[in-house]
Amino acid sequence: MIPTIARITGTGRGLPARIFTNDDFASIGVETSDEWIVERTGIRERRIAAESETTCWMAAAASRSAMSKAGVTSGEIDVIILSTATPDRLLPATAVDLQAELGATRAAAFDVSAACSGWLYGLTIAEGMIASGAIDTALVVGAEKMSAIIDWTDRSTCVLFGDGAGAVIVQRNKAGEKAGILSTFMRSDGCLADLLYRPHGGAAHPMTKEIVENRSHLVRMAGREVFKHAVREMSEAADRALDSAKLRGADIDLLVPHQANKRIIEATAKHAGIPMSKVYVNVDRFGNTSSASIPIALDEVIEKKIVGPGSTVMMVAFGAGFTWASAIIRL
Ligand code: COA
């Protein structure tokens, strides 16, 4: 058995109250249908945040729940790693707003920008910081207000995304502990950046009236190309995580994949040799919440007791960049 350094000791989620169904798109003049969206993506509804439900607000709700389940107080957190593609402000990091909100007075805090794979990147960083001896306790959050950066007039993207946050507490293992992070994997390919991106509004092309008028500060995506890469890279990430943990698909009790699209999830599971009965899917209720999707799903499967102490869980993600990543944990 591979000795582990760190384990997840608590999970939580923070979701906006408003449910926006596929049929609701008609009310904002988007020409689409429930049938088209369900058939292509498996999405039936998503949460959409109100103005007051900021990325930090959702992150704080998820964090408080994870801290309470782990029995960790804000003063015990050594680092806050917050993955987001939708920071509340461009400076400072949303992680420091979360640090202030939680009163985590001993914590370092920074954002990770790796799109949908960001929470797995954060988990890997947390494990590494614990391994180095720098910290004992990390709060790793994925929080996204995707509704703020999607083009609500572009039916090929606006139907896909939703808002929400998920969080976990990661702590140093005691000697002989069986639970823990068994393997992690991260990769990127920036040559593919323009397939899923926000063209303008950053430092290279600061915001102007023209940028806002032609909506080039919002998400643009070449859906078909992204789909092909997502299947290929998620499959590679699953292979690498299994190889490093010296496991096979049959050893996995539950696959908790990034929830972008049911067809991408099915293809990834098939490649890894995992039947759909061992795959958790909630994309029908939340859409693609980017880096929040895996920690939200992880919190649900633990709460519903689909997995419990001793279960082996594989998590796989893919996102803009492109970035892709995976991890296998024993609960
Ligand atoms: N409702 C109805 N019709 C729509 C539509 C919508 N919401 N969005 C696009 N269409 C139309 C297109 O205009 C096109 O019509 P046309 O043939 O008359 O031109 C048709 O549907 C097919 O469009 P296409 O983009 O080729 O569809 P697709 O089968 O590739 O499905 C996606 C589109 C976006 C669902 C699919 O490509 C996908 O899931 N890609 C991956 C996206 C993703 O997960 N990104 C995040 C990764 S982390």
Side-chain angles (χ1 to χ4, degrees), residues 32 36 40 116 155-156 221 223-224 227 258 260-261 288 318:
T32 187
W36 191 95
R40 298 289 211 297
C116 305
R155 67 177 181 174
S156 67
M221 181 177 70
R224 286 218 167 159
F227 189 98
H258 169 48
N261 177 313
N288 181 345
F318 168 86

Side-chain angles (χ1 to χ4, degrees), residues 19-277:
I19 294 172
F20 194 93
T21 69
N22 290 346
D23 288 334
D24 290 335
F25 282 104
S27 70
I28 55 165
V30 174
E31 251 184 77
T32 187
S33 67
D34 179 58
E35 193 191 0
W36 191 95
I37 301 170
V38 172
E39 190 188 305
R40 298 289 211 297
T41 71
I43 299 167
R44 292 180 187 278
E45 59 187 44
R46 71 287 291 143
R47 299 295 175 96
I48 298 297
E51 205 179 324
S52 61
E53 293 169 327
T54 61
T55 297
C56 180
W57 181 89
M58 293 184 279
S63 301
R64 288 197 176 98
S65 170
M67 287 158 60
S68 143
K69 287 181 219 164
V72 163
T73 61
S74 53
E76 291 173 80
I77 298 169
D78 298 312
V79 66
I80 296 173
I81 304 172
L82 187 144
S83 160
T84 189
T86 54
D88 286 328
R89 302 179 279 186
L90 295 182
L91 189 76
T94 302
V96 299
D97 288 336
L98 179 60
Q99 179 274 331
E101 174 64 27
L102 297 176
T105 47
R106 289 181 51 252
F110 59 92
D111 285 1
V112 168
S113 175
C116 305
S117 312
W119 181 81
L120 282 174
Y121 271 55
L123 183 71
T124 306
I125 295 165
E127 187 199 26
M129 291 178 80
I130 291 171
S132 77
I135 64 156
D136 288 322
T137 301
L139 169 63
V140 185
V141 190
E144 307 281 9
K145 190 164 177 173
M146 296 303 290
S147 60
I149 63 162
I150 53 178
D151 183 345
W152 286 90
T153 66
D154 174 9
R155 67 177 181 174
S156 67
T157 53
C158 73
V159 301
L160 304 176
F161 296 97
D163 301 333
V168 301
I169 296 288
V170 183
Q171 290 185 283
R172 178 181 297 285
N173 263 355
K174 300 183 186 81
E177 196 109 43
K178 290 208 172 70
I181 298 167
L182 303 184
S183 70
T184 58
F185 168 80
M186 300 187 287
R187 200 50 59 88
S188 68
D189 185 353
C191 296
L192 301 167
D194 290 356
L195 294 178
L196 175 48
Y197 73 135
R198 297 172 67 187
H200 298 138
H205 300 281
M207 205 66 92
T208 60
K209 196 161 159 266
E210 286 68 36
I211 289 173
V212 174
E213 274 165 9
N214 64 30
R215 300 175 168 276
S216 65
H217 60 305
L218 301 172
V219 170
R220 294 202 179 157
M221 181 177 70
R224 286 218 167 159
E225 285 306 304
V226 172
F227 189 98
K228 280 187 239 159
H229 282 284
V231 171
R232 194 179 310 157
E233 269 80 91
M234 295 258 288
S235 296
E236 189 208 352
D239 289 346
R240 296 286 81 77
L242 288 168
D243 285 351
S244 311
K246 300 193 175 18
L247 296 174
R248 294 169 306 125
D251 300 316
I252 300 299
D253 295 312
L254 192 71
L255 173 63
V256 178
H258 169 48
Q259 308 282 323
N261 177 313
K262 186 141 187 275
R263 292 187 296 148
I264 297 173
I265 294 173
E266 284 165 350
T268 305
K270 191 172 173 203
H271 175 88
I274 299 174
M276 283 306 287
S277 58

Side-chain angles (χ1 to χ4, degrees), residues 275-329:
M276 283 306 287
S277 58
K278 288 186 170 185
V279 181
Y280 191 67
V281 178
N282 65 9
V283 71
D284 52 327
R285 288 179 289 122
F286 299 126
N288 181 345
T289 57
S290 188
S291 71
S293 88
I294 292 180
I296 289 172
L298 190 61
D299 186 48
E300 286 197 335
V301 297
I302 292 172
E303 187 176 272
K304 291 180 182 177
K305 298 194 175 4
I306 297 171
V307 289
S311 300
T312 304
V313 177
M314 178 157 75
M315 302 174 285
V316 183
F318 168 86
F322 290 146
T323 60
W324 55 108
S326 54
I328 297 179
I329 56 171

